Amino acid sequence: ILNVEQSPQSLHVQEGDSTNFTCSFPSSNFYALHWYRWETAKSPEALFVMTLNGDEKKKGRISATLNTKEGYSYLYIKGSQPEDSATYLCAFTYKYIFGTGTRLKVLA
Amino acid sequence: DAGVIQSPRHEVTEMGQEVTLRCKPISGHDYLFWYRQTMMRGLELLIYFNNNVPIDDSGMPEDRFSAKMPNASFSTLKIQPSEPRDSAVYFCASRRHGDYGYTFGSGTRLTVV
């Protein structure tokens, strides 16, 4: 059974704080890892697609790193804002498996 | 590009009734996925198609669920008979071979009472 695990499950931070969370996935049969941002009542929105060990991607205040050998990826948000509040999902595309997400709430 | 289109957006039905959810993928996308989202289990892959052919249906919960893709522009997910535990949001997503990202539809919120 392939498992994609995300931690923490939920997180509350103050506006302006930087934060990070983790996605763990099987290190064998790696193809690609996706990060999605999912706001309530909307469909998941793609943030990053990461394919190579050591990949680092950045989009504004959000960045991600990838370690395929040990099977993890980190998502970082610098200077969190209330509009960053959402569920952040990672997906492991060998079997199109999603993690259960990290629910981030940024308090003003 | 209209994106991935799902219908209906909301469906409320009585236990035992047949429910059909519909999806129109993005034109040119040759992979189509059906996911179910629940609070307890997050996003679960139910089935995916490549070039209209079902490739992996191991996530389909039981025989009450069936999915078809009669052509490249349309897919259905059917539940017959429906049960209250089927209540969830069902997402369809598509992608093009060689691209890494998916595009999701807006989902169908199903409530079985």
Side-chain angles (χ1 to χ4, degrees):
Chain A
I1 296 177
L2 297 174
N3 276 322
V4 177
E5 297 181 353
Q6 291 188 246
S7 63
Q9 279 193 322
S10 65
L11 189 56
H12 287 195
V13 300
Q14 289 295 133
E15 183 177 359
D17 287 352
S18 294
T19 187
N20 66 84
F21 19 94
T22 307
C23 172
S24 301
F25 52 86
S27 54
S28 58
N29 295 309
F30 182 81
Y31 180 66
L33 187 91
H34 301 230
W35 279 101
Y36 287 84
R37 180 173 179 276
W38 192 6
E39 289 182 70
T40 304
K42 295 185 179 179
S43 51
E45 170 200 352
L47 285 174
F48 303 116
V49 180
M50 310 183 79
T51 57
L52 298 174
N53 185 43
D55 252 357
E56 290 189 27
K57 297 278 176 90
K58 186 173 163 63
K59 186 175 183 177
R61 293 178 292 99
I62 304 177
S63 60
T65 61
L66 178 68
N67 184 322
T68 60
K69 292 182 179 178
E70 295 183 35
Y72 65 84
S73 176
Y74 293 138
L75 189 80
Y76 302 90
I77 303 178
K78 184 177 177 182
S80 305
Q81 299 296 309
E83 58 265 30
D84 296 329
S85 299
T87 295
Y88 291 83
L89 291 168
C90 67
F92 175 68
T93 52
Y94 173 62
K95 287 284 281 184
Y96 304 101
I97 298 172
F98 278 79
T100 50
T102 293
R103 285 177 290 283
L104 174 67
K105 177 75 174 175
V106 181
L107 306 171
Chain B
D1 188 347
V4 176
I5 300 172
Q6 289 187 247
S7 63
R9 289 295 303 273
H10 303 274
E11 176 81 34
V12 180
T13 191
E14 291 186 347
M15 184 173 66
Q17 296 297 305
E18 178 180 293
V19 175
T20 300
L21 311 181
R22 297 172 177 78
C23 176
K24 177 178 166 45
I26 290 175
S27 177
H29 282 198
D30 43 8
Y31 284 85
L32 183 139
F33 306 85
W34 281 101
Y35 286 92
R36 177 172 66 176
Q37 190 260 339
T38 62
M39 288 299 292
M40 295 301 294
R41 299 170 70 95
L43 267 176
E44 299 176 276
L45 177 65
L46 300 177
I47 185 171
Y48 78 92
F49 295 84
N50 178 216
N51 292 323
N52 314 338
V53 176
I55 303 300
D56 185 347
D57 65 355
S58 59
M60 296 285 263
E62 47 200 273
D63 292 345
R64 297 183 298 106
F65 285 68
S66 62
K68 294 183 180 179
M69 192 164 184
N71 58 60
S73 59
F74 184 64
S75 177
T76 58
L77 179 69
K78 187 176 291 187
I79 309 172
Q80 165 65 18
S82 57
E83 297 182 3
R85 60 193 167 116
D86 301 330
S87 298
V89 181
Y90 291 80
F91 283 98
C92 175
S94 70
R95 76 173 179 95
R96 178 169 29 216
H97 177 72
D99 290 349
Y100 290 109
Y102 311 62
T103 304
F104 281 81
S106 301
T108 295
R109 181 175 296 278
L110 173 66
T111 304
V112 183
V113 298

